[in-house]
């Protein structure tokens, strides 16, 4: 379930002392589920999905806008993908 994937991301980030905030906007639909804030001012937006989940058209548009501004935006759909991503981001934070 998507909620399990999102919760795993939150727990992994908390273990590392990162902030992993639920991200929502009252004026913009399609924003990623989470914003991960790491040491050194590093920001990563994360959209979580279940293993069978798909991005909506508006999510694709929003993700492309964020990436065009230079933000890292990830779409993660499993606990394994989160583990790999958190390991990679940890190396980037060193």
């Amino acid at each position: 379930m998507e909620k399990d994937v999102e919760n795993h991301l939150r727990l992994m980030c908390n273990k590392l002392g990162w902030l992993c905030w639920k991200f929502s906007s009252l004026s913009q639909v399609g924003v990623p589920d989470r914003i991960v804030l790491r040491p050194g001012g590093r920001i990563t937006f994360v959209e979580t999905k279940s293993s069978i989940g798909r991005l909506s058209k508006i999510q694709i548009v929003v993700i492309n806008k964020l990436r065009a501004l230079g933000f890292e935006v990830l779409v993660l759909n499993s606990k394994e993908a989160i583990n790999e991503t958190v390991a990679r981001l940890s190396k980037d934070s060193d």
Side-chain angles (χ1 to χ4, degrees), residues 12-47:
M12 293 296 292
C13 289
N14 286 344
K15 283 182 184 179
L16 294 168
W18 301 349
L19 300 177
C20 183
W21 292 340
K22 182 75 174 165
F23 184 50
S24 61
S25 173
L26 297 175
S27 61
Q28 175 66 51
V29 296
V31 297
D33 297 313
R34 293 278 173 170
I35 182 170
V36 177
L37 307 162
R38 298 177 287 132
R42 293 176 176 90
I43 298 172
T44 303
F45 293 91
V46 180
E47 175 62 35

Side-chain angles (χ1 to χ4, degrees), residues 35-74:
I35 182 170
V36 177
L37 307 162
R38 298 177 287 132
R42 293 176 176 90
I43 298 172
T44 303
F45 293 91
V46 180
E47 175 62 35
T48 55
K49 292 289 182 191
S50 69
S51 60
I52 60 171
R54 304 236 185 240
L55 293 173
S56 68
K57 289 180 183 179
I58 189 63
Q59 286 176 317
I60 292 168
V61 168
V62 170
I63 287 170
N64 288 337
K65 284 181 180 180
L66 289 168
R67 286 179 175 159
L69 290 171
F71 290 104
E72 181 175 34
V73 184
L74 304 173

